[in-house]
Amino acid sequence: MERKEFIRKFAIVTLMPSLFVAACTDGNKKQKKSAGKTKTYTCPMHPQIVQDKPGTCPICGMDLVPFEKNAAEAALNLNESQRALANITTMAVGLNGFNAFKQLNGRLVVNPEGTEYISSRVAGRLERLYVRQTGEQISKGQPLYKIYSEQLVTLQEEYLLAMVQSAQFPNDQTFVQLLKSSKQKLSLYGQSESQIRQLGTSKKTDPYITYTSPGNGMVAELSVTEGQYVSEGSPIMRLEGYQSLWVEADMYPSEVGSIKDGQSLKVVIPGWEDQPQMMTVRFINPELNSGSQVIQLRGSIPNPNHQWQPGLQANVFVPSGSKGDVMSLPVDAVIRDGKGTHVWIEKSKGKFEPQMVKIGMESFDAVEIKEGLKTGDQVVITGAYLLYSEYILKKGKNPMAGMKM
């Protein structure tokens, strides 16, 4: 028994160092394996924020997202479904002509040529207003107001008396001339031909006269109230027509030399980019606006169906130069950030890589590429910003990090 006990204790003492070493080795392997699975987190908007645990970005407060810390490949790989979902399209770049434009900030304003100022033709009391609010659309011939005027009654009596005398003495040119003169007075005081004809038929004076609209427009201002006494020439209302609108744009004094009176410029209304209009410059203000130190130019554009209202923003594009045999891309294909300017190139099917470029002249829809691309490169023209965001989410860094032109 003593011999067996001795052998058992001796075996335990002999094997214990081996078991300890094995346990330490397994523990190190598990620790390394666990360390290898540790995730790294970054901010989608600020890739410089990197930490080894979930949290929020200290700059913008967004939730941090995991990314592969060791993902050093510069390319993004997308399958067909991902490409269709992101609306990724490409084009082969080449050389062509390029026209550059400067954009001027403008606005639509009322064209005074379509404005009607309606004033009282005679002195009297406004018995009834048929239009009681601004913003109401008025058609030509529509009743606007009814007025009581003793002055009109006197003129009507003169006309009826002249009619009687002219009928009694048809060969006397004096009475004929008096009839024409009294009729003309009624016309000058705003009586229509039908109203004068009705007066001659009824042979009765009427102190209540209704005045109608001389044209089409919208009521922009109402200056009187019902029951008010007005004098001859007192303002009643203002009608504005929107068949055409003025475009007023601001430019700096250094830009005046590039624009001439009578020049045609392209105008785009935000929200109606598919309906550009051509404007002819009609006026360039010879003096600076005291508050902003800019010069104002003006032109007019048609306004079919009154689809645009005064006050809308308008972008005016002025030609600033042209070149031949220039490599250009749509504006949306070029990504600009603090690191520089870059585009995305499809190197092979479904494999996209960023490429830094140097840009030159720009227009409202295209930009000149001076360096960074060669003829035939397949450049992403739609969905480039989605690739940019996806790269930051997956790689945790800016696509331009480490790149130099």
Side-chain angles (χ1 to χ4, degrees):
M1 291 295 293
E2 292 179 358
R3 181 180 177 82
K4 290 181 179 180
E5 185 67 22
F6 174 77
I7 293 172
R8 186 176 67 80
K9 291 181 178 180
F10 179 78
I12 292 173
V13 172
T14 304
L15 294 174
M16 186 173 292
S18 300
L19 293 173
F20 179 76
V21 172
C24 290
T25 303
D26 291 342
N28 289 336
K29 289 182 178 179
K30 290 180 181 179
Q31 186 176 1
K32 290 181 179 178
K33 189 174 181 181
S34 175
K37 291 183 177 179
T38 302
K39 291 185 177 181
T40 307
Y41 296 83
T42 186
C43 175
M45 298 299 295
H46 303 91
Q48 69 269 26
I49 304 300
V50 179
Q51 64 184 45
D52 59 357
K53 59 182 179 180
T56 57
C57 175
I59 299 176
C60 64
M62 291 182 64
D63 291 336
L64 301 182
V65 297
F67 75 99
E68 299 177 9
K69 188 175 181 181
N70 299 321
E73 185 182 8
L76 281 177
N77 295 291
L78 301 180
N79 56 37
E80 287 297 331
S81 61
Q82 290 174 326
R83 181 171 182 160
L85 185 63
N87 190 29
I88 304 296
T89 59
T90 63
M91 66 171 286
V93 295
L95 300 179
N96 48 40
F98 185 85
N99 295 318
F101 294 86
K102 289 182 180 179
Q103 179 177 320
L104 303 181
N105 295 324
R107 62 213 149 266
L108 300 182
V109 298
V110 176
N111 187 347
E113 295 177 357
T115 300
E116 291 275 357
Y117 292 90
I118 299 176
S119 303
S120 177
R121 294 293 188 90
V122 294
R125 183 181 68 249
L126 292 175
E127 290 295 319
R128 184 175 180 184
L129 276 177
Y130 296 100
V131 178
R132 295 174 178 266
Q133 60 184 359
T134 58
E136 187 173 340
Q137 192 66 33
I138 301 298
S139 301
K140 184 176 182 179
Q142 179 177 337
L144 297 180
Y145 62 94
K146 180 190 289 186
I147 191 170
Y148 170 82
S149 174
E150 296 182 356
Q151 183 181 4
L152 275 177
V153 173
T154 303
L155 293 176
Q156 291 174 5
E157 291 176 345
E158 289 181 3
Y159 177 72
L160 293 178
L161 179 59
M163 285 185 64
V164 173
Q165 292 175 336
S166 177
Q168 291 178 349
F169 306 98
N171 297 324
D172 193 332
Q173 292 299 316
T174 301
F175 294 111
V176 173
Q177 190 63 34
L178 286 174
L179 178 62
K180 290 182 180 180
S181 177
S182 59
K183 182 179 180 180
Q184 187 177 11
K185 284 183 181 180
L186 290 175
S187 299
L188 292 175
Y189 277 94
Q191 299 298 283
S192 65
E193 189 67 31
S194 61
Q195 289 175 326
I196 297 174
R197 192 183 309 113
Q198 176 65 26
L199 174 63
T201 303
S202 64
K203 302 294 192 298
K204 293 182 180 179
T205 60
D206 186 1
Y208 298 98
I209 304 299
T210 299
Y211 285 90
T212 60
S213 174
N216 301 321
M218 189 198 72
V219 180
E221 182 181 356
L222 193 60
S223 306
V224 294
T225 58
E226 197 170 274
Q228 178 179 338
Y229 280 87
V230 294
S231 58
E232 185 176 341
S234 296
I236 301 294
M237 64 184 68
R238 187 179 82 246
L239 303 181
E240 292 180 348
Y242 296 156
Q243 291 79 14
S244 68
L245 294 174
W246 271 3
V247 179
E248 291 183 347
D250 299 325
M251 60 181 177
Y252 293 105
S254 60
E255 299 172 331
V256 174
S258 62
I259 304 175
K260 298 180 180 180
D261 193 13
Q263 183 177 352
S264 294
L265 303 178
K266 187 175 184 178
V267 179
V268 175
I269 313 299
W272 289 271
E273 287 80 2
D274 59 333
Q275 301 179 41
Q277 303 291 317
M278 295 306 297
M279 176 191 80
T280 301
V281 178
R282 299 297 185 190
F283 175 76
I284 298 178
N285 199 331
E287 61 180 357
L288 293 173
N289 291 340
S290 58
S292 57
Q293 294 297 303
V294 295
I295 293 176
Q296 191 177 87
L297 67 84
R298 183 185 303 138
S300 63
I301 60 172
N303 186 23
N305 303 319
H306 297 180
Q307 63 177 339
W308 299 315
Q309 296 79 37
L312 283 175
Q313 180 185 352
N315 298 322
V316 181
F317 296 94
V318 181
S320 60
S322 62
K323 291 183 179 180
D325 295 334
V326 171
M327 186 177 292
S328 63
L329 287 174
V331 171
D332 293 340
V334 181
I335 309 297
R336 310 163 198 251
D337 59 17
K339 298 292 183 180
T341 306
H342 71 277
V343 298
W344 287 85
I345 302 176
E346 187 176 19
K347 291 292 187 179
S348 59
K349 188 173 179 59
K351 185 177 182 180
F352 302 91
E353 291 185 6
Q355 175 62 47
M356 183 173 282
V357 295
K358 184 178 180 181
I359 62 175
M361 295 192 307
E362 296 186 51
S363 68
F364 56 91
D365 61 354
V367 58
E368 176 192 3
I369 305 298
K370 301 181 73 173
E371 295 181 23
L373 296 178
K374 62 182 183 298
T375 302
D377 283 343
Q378 290 289 333
V379 180
V380 175
I381 58 174
T382 61
Y385 279 96
L386 291 177
L387 291 176
Y388 175 75
S389 302
E390 183 71 8
Y391 188 95
I392 293 178
L393 287 172
K394 284 189 174 181
K395 311 294 183 180
K397 60 182 179 180
N398 191 293
M400 294 294 96
M403 287 194 180
K404 292 182 179 179
M405 177 58 65

